[in-house]
Amino acid sequence: MVCTRLAAVALAVLSAVDASLALGTTCSTPLGGGTAASGSPYWLQSLAQRGTSPFNSGYQVRRNVKDFGAKGDGTTDDTAAINAAMSAGGRCGNPTGCSQSTLFPAVVYFPSGRYKISTPIISYWYTAMIGDGRNPPTLLAAANFSGIALIDADPYLGGDAQWYVNQNNFYRSLRNFVVDLTPLPVSSGVNGLHWQVSQATSISNLRIEMSRDASTNQVGMFMENGSGGYMGDITVNGGKTGLNLGNQQFTVRNVTVNNAQTAIFVNWSWVWLFYRIAINNCPVGFRLNTGSTTSAQTTGASIIADATFTNVGTAIQTTTNQPSTYASGFVLDNIVFSGVTNGVADQSNNVALSGGSKTVAQWLQGSVYTGTNSAFNYTRNTVAAVTKPSVLLEGGRFVSRPRPQYETYDVSQFVSVKALGAKGDGSTDDTAILKSIFSQYAGCKIIFFDAGIYKVSSTITIPAGTQVIGEAWSTIMGFGSAFSNSASPQVVVKVGDAGSTGRTEITDMLFTTQGPAAGAIVVEWNVHDPSGQQGVAGAWDTIIRIGGARGTNLQNAQCPKGSNNPSACSAAFLGLHLTRQSSAYLEGLWVWTADHDIDGDPQITVFSGRGILSESQGPVWLIGTGSEHNVLVQYNIANAANHFLGVIQTESPYYQPVPAPPAPFSINAAYQDPTSFSTPGNAWGLQVKNSSNILIYGAGLYSFFNNYVADTCVGPANCQNAIANIDTASSNVVILGLSTVGVTNMLNVNNAAVIAQSANRFGTQATAIKWTR
């Protein structure tokens, strides 16, 4: 079984219940542990199919590959049956001339078995591939396999043409699989996965098996482009390369690679974080493609934290010798070597950090800035370790939590909201029935939102201690007059009441609005972990999408590019608010104000005031998150404490400076709004104000367009003069791996420029490897 240890951790967490919680009215006892009998199928296999795509009548959302003829017996070629399950219903892909759409979501379920594959399984746009969580199925390469990979998320058509635009290859989830390449010849260069993806994508609970032969050409994963993203809880055994990765930005958590020739190769990047990584018995741990220039992009910033290297030849191998250049910077943070020959060396064994058996608190290569000093120190050495508050750690490492999958739970421990009367049809007001369901079942049943769009006209509260799981990003949509007034903002979905505690889990959900909704706070997060438990109040693979999709009334028809129509196109006041008393573990969260119409393709002009506001005193873990195209600010950390941010990603609105912020909103001091903005008039990517213990391990802050024109933004001329500001009232703020695009000044302190792009640009992006306050 894949990741048995993860299941045990999850079960331990699930069994710990805050006894102070008020349960639903039908509940006599808390949910507790799972009751599935030995040999029972995974709960999803037994749960009745009620999900729908509201604007695509008759379309089947969930499909079981065995219903399409797959045998899973290890001998039958199941390729055609699986691809039929993937494509049924005219789904969004090249054969139908579709590049993106919300109308064709699919959960493609694989019961336990061994599925022989002879050509790639093509994962269509908006797909969740889910295997049996109790006994994960194996995708087994046929000995005569032909194609790029067993799973292909973006097929090539010939030359550079592909099915999807890599930067818009959203909405993919893959979990609970074994991918087995061992039947292939050792000489075969087939990949387990071709995973060229962008935001709103995830991998969980995956094992890849490859040849252990020293001459093998097999590769576990190939990623050559995109704008991600998150993946984690992966084990790779064998292969020439475990993971071959290239993408603008990504967060990778809890990966083990055993007996590969090279465990992880990063071929290009702007900023990546790898944490909780274990590499065992590999000649090379990480190989970093180094030496970027403004005309040739290799790696920008690579952050490797809380990692172990055991019996490894070279832990970090650079492709160029870099004794004096800070192109392609990287950080080693809390690294344990055991039987390592070289810590850091190039391919000719020019050694920069010795190996052995030791702990490396922090070693880095790159430009290092401190406080308000605009001159950097080029560093290629051991440096002072980051001071880390204990509330963010377990066993000396940053907290790591697998997504809840409820492997041990019986189907009787779930309730379906549609079975209980909710419509989810994109037109009915489901407010009353959803409130009733939470009132009855919170804390004693796992509440399953069948695929659909559930409209609500007033605030819905998900009580502390509730478990909620969606199906292909089931959607709660706020609509109506309650959310229309920006002078009196109202919450659409409230997670816990102020001061509440409890294990609270939200997975595979999407929250949005129907416009106009200038007063909508889409999600307010109030719940805190119970005493003595860390990271158990959280959300995984959950999206806040604002505009740009069917049913939102915020598409090209209402809000075309350049229309500047706030009365019709103001879509939200604030995406996510983490309140002062809350804690949160949020993994794979994307707060996206749409820059284009997913169901129509053209660029649009939709206004959302603010992305993420955190006033939490912590602990907060934001793992692989993004916040884009909000009017005033994307990440606003104000009067807050004890945050770990593992790669944050932002983009300024494409229409700015027409209008310039704060228009069409007003500055609201109650929500800690910035009071000044960059020239010529653009939103902040990051603001940190009066906060302490804010640890940012990777930040990709980008400005690609001014008034929809991009050609002046990437190069000597930039879209805006500043994108991040930290005030001097904040303390113990650390940024490792700050990468920006289209910005004159990468970081301001008290609104005064400190880090200049011109001194740090190598490749498309500029990168400073460390700044401390």
Side-chain angles (χ1 to χ4, degrees):
M1 181 174 179
V2 178
C3 298
T4 303
R5 180 178 58 82
L6 295 179
V9 170
L11 179 60
V13 171
L14 287 166
S15 299
V17 176
D18 183 2
S20 68
L21 286 176
L23 298 176
T25 57
T26 65
C27 303
S28 57
T29 58
L31 178 64
T35 63
S38 176
S40 295
Y42 188 45
W43 60 268
L44 184 61
Q45 185 170 326
S46 303
L47 193 69
Q49 297 188 36
R50 301 181 179 91
T52 60
S53 178
F55 305 110
N56 191 359
S57 178
Y59 174 82
Q60 180 184 0
V61 175
R62 195 189 329 154
R63 56 278 304 270
N64 185 320
V65 295
K66 289 196 171 181
D67 293 338
F68 289 78
K71 301 300 182 184
D73 57 13
T75 58
T76 304
D77 188 336
D78 285 324
T79 310
I82 293 171
N83 278 328
M86 282 284 181
S87 61
R91 298 195 63 223
C92 187
N94 181 261
T96 57
C98 176
S99 62
Q100 53 188 333
S101 173
T102 65
L103 304 186
F104 302 93
V107 170
V108 182
Y109 178 72
F110 291 69
S112 185
R114 291 170 61 81
Y115 298 85
K116 187 177 178 180
I117 309 299
S118 58
T119 59
I121 297 169
I122 298 174
S123 172
Y124 281 62
W125 214 85
Y126 225 113
T127 297
M129 284 180 64
I130 305 176
D132 184 318
R134 292 171 64 82
N135 295 288
T138 296
L139 304 179
L140 182 69
N144 63 344
F145 181 92
S146 175
I148 190 172
L150 269 65
I151 300 171
D152 192 351
D154 197 358
Y156 279 91
L157 297 168
D160 293 331
Q162 290 180 266
W163 279 29
Y164 307 110
V165 176
N166 66 77
Q167 297 94 336
N168 293 339
N169 203 4
F170 308 146
Y171 302 107
R172 305 302 183 96
S173 181
L174 173 72
R175 54 191 184 269
N176 308 331
F177 286 95
V178 177
V179 174
D180 190 347
L181 302 180
T182 58
L184 293 169
V186 170
S187 60
S188 171
V190 168
N191 303 279
L193 283 70
H194 175 219
W195 196 248
Q196 184 176 244
V197 295
S198 293
Q199 291 89 349
T201 61
S202 68
I203 295 175
S204 301
N205 199 24
L206 174 70
R207 190 174 88 235
I208 303 174
E209 294 287 346
M210 295 180 285
S211 169
R212 275 71 160 175
D213 192 292
S215 63
T216 181
N217 282 320
Q218 297 167 10
V219 176
M221 180 189 300
F222 175 50
M223 175 193 293
E224 75 276 38
N225 218 323
S227 178
Y230 162 80
M231 68 176 84
D233 302 323
I234 300 170
T235 299
V236 181
N237 295 314
K240 178 181 181 180
T241 305
L243 305 175
N244 182 345
L245 306 172
N247 197 291
Q248 291 178 12
Q249 67 284 315
F250 233 90
T251 300
V252 180
R253 179 189 60 76
N254 193 35
V255 170
T256 298
V257 183
N258 304 306
N259 301 298
Q261 297 306 299
T262 296
I264 298 173
F265 174 45
V266 186
N267 57 71
W268 82 274
S269 68
W270 291 349
V271 57
W272 278 62
L273 168 67
F274 300 86
Y275 91 101
R276 295 273 190 141
I277 308 299
I279 296 175
N280 305 305
N281 305 312
C282 299
V284 176
F286 281 80
R287 176 174 289 136
L288 304 179
N289 193 13
T290 52
S292 284
T293 68
T294 53
S295 61
Q297 180 72 60
T298 56
T299 51
S302 303
I303 305 154
I304 302 165
D306 294 344
T308 62
F309 296 81
T310 304
N311 298 329
V312 171
T314 299
I316 313 296
Q317 184 183 78
T318 59
T319 58
T320 58
N321 189 19
Q322 298 187 282
S324 60
T325 178
Y326 53 97
S328 301
F330 55 95
V331 182
L332 307 182
D333 184 88
N334 189 31
I335 306 299
V336 177
F337 292 160
S338 180
V340 171
T341 305
N342 298 319
V344 176
D346 70 1
Q347 291 177 300
S348 299
N349 281 332
N350 294 301
V351 177
L353 173 65
S354 64
S357 296
K358 62 186 179 183
T359 298
V360 179
Q362 190 167 97
W363 189 99
L364 59 79
Q365 172 182 292
S367 54
V368 176
Y369 290 82
T370 304
T372 59
N373 190 343
S374 60
F376 65 81
N377 291 318
Y378 169 70
T379 303
R380 195 187 193 207
N381 211 332
T382 301
V383 297
V386 171
T387 300
K388 303 171 183 177
S390 60
V391 294
L392 294 174
L393 309 176
E394 56 182 2
R397 303 189 295 174
F398 290 115
V399 165
S400 166
R401 290 285 174 264
R403 62 176 294 142
Q405 301 216 62
Y406 309 110
E407 300 94 325
T408 64
Y409 284 73
D410 187 75
V411 68
S412 64
Q413 296 180 279
F414 293 75
V415 291
S416 153
V417 297
K418 285 193 174 181
L420 294 169
K423 300 299 183 183
D425 57 11
S427 59
T428 302
D429 186 343
D430 280 320
T431 310
I433 186 63
L434 292 182
K435 288 182 177 180
S436 174
I437 290 169
F438 283 118
S439 174
Q440 292 180 71
Y441 296 102
C444 66
K445 295 286 187 179
I446 300 166
I447 298 175
F448 182 77
F449 273 75
D450 314 84
I453 299 175
Y454 300 83
K455 295 182 68 175
V456 297
S457 54
S458 62
T459 301
I460 294 291
T461 299
I462 299 174
T466 304
Q467 290 71 46
V468 172
I469 186 167
E471 183 178 36
W473 298 282
S474 304
T475 299
I476 296 178
M477 174 186 284
F479 81 102
S481 59
F483 307 117
S484 64
N485 185 0
S486 63
S488 180
Q490 302 297 313
V491 175
V492 178
V493 176
K494 182 185 293 186
V495 183
D497 291 314
S500 63
T501 65
R503 174 175 55 87
T504 306
E505 297 164 344
I506 300 173
T507 55
D508 302 303
M509 294 292 294
L510 190 151
F511 304 107
T512 190
T513 62
Q514 183 178 79
I521 298 173
V522 184
V523 176
E524 180 182 274
W525 190 279
N526 295 298
V527 67
H528 196 284
D529 292 333
S531 178
Q533 300 178 48
Q534 291 176 293
V536 301
W540 293 257
D541 217 357
T542 290
I543 312 301
I544 296 172
R545 184 178 67 211
I546 301 170
R550 281 288 295 272
T552 64
N553 292 346
L554 298 161
Q555 294 183 260
N556 186 56
Q558 299 86 16
C559 310
K561 170 183 169 180
S563 57
N564 194 10
N565 183 4
S567 62
C569 300
S570 291
F573 178 88
L574 169 61
L576 170 66
H577 185 192
L578 303 178
T579 59
R580 182 174 178 82
Q581 292 177 298
S582 68
S583 71
Y585 183 98
L586 305 178
E587 185 172 271
L589 172 80
W590 187 34
V591 180
W592 186 59
T593 300
D595 59 87
H596 65 277
D597 184 350
I598 291 176
D599 291 312
D601 195 51
Q603 289 182 315
I604 57 177
T605 299
V606 170
F607 302 105
S608 172
R610 304 139 187 92
I612 299 174
L613 167 62
S614 180
E615 300 177 281
S616 168
Q617 300 307 292
V620 168
W621 302 267
L622 300 184
I623 311 300
T625 64
S627 178
E628 300 184 74
H629 312 138
N630 300 284
V631 169
L632 285 84
V633 60
Q634 315 312 314
Y635 286 83
N636 191 2
I637 313 298
N639 304 318
N642 301 321
H643 284 45
F644 172 64
L645 284 64
V647 180
I648 60 172
Q649 181 257 329
T650 75
E651 291 182 12
S652 301
Y654 293 173
Y655 55 78
Q656 288 180 345
V658 183
F665 293 88
S666 300
I667 292 171
N668 189 325
Y671 290 88
Q672 308 299 327
D673 287 345
T675 56
S676 61
F677 300 90
S678 68
T679 304
N682 302 82
W684 291 104
L686 169 68
Q687 173 180 263
V688 180
K689 182 171 68 173
N690 193 32
S691 298
S692 61
N693 293 329
I694 309 300
L695 310 182
I696 303 172
Y697 277 49
L701 313 179
Y702 313 137
S703 191
F704 291 130
F705 294 84
N706 261 352
N707 198 18
Y708 299 100
V709 178
D711 57 3
T712 61
C713 293
V714 180
N718 297 304
C719 276
Q720 61 191 83
N721 75 337
I723 200 164
N725 187 60
I726 298 174
D727 71 9
T728 52
S730 297
S731 60
N732 191 28
V733 180
V734 176
I735 304 177
L736 300 179
L738 171 63
S739 290
T740 64
V741 174
V743 181
T744 303
N745 297 304
M746 302 170 66
L747 180 67
N748 286 21
V749 177
N750 269 11
N751 291 308
V754 171
I755 303 180
Q757 172 182 277
S758 59
N760 295 279
R761 185 167 178 235
F762 289 87
T764 301
Q765 95 299 338
T767 296
I769 205 64
K770 185 175 184 178
W771 177 88
T772 54
R773 166 70 183 145

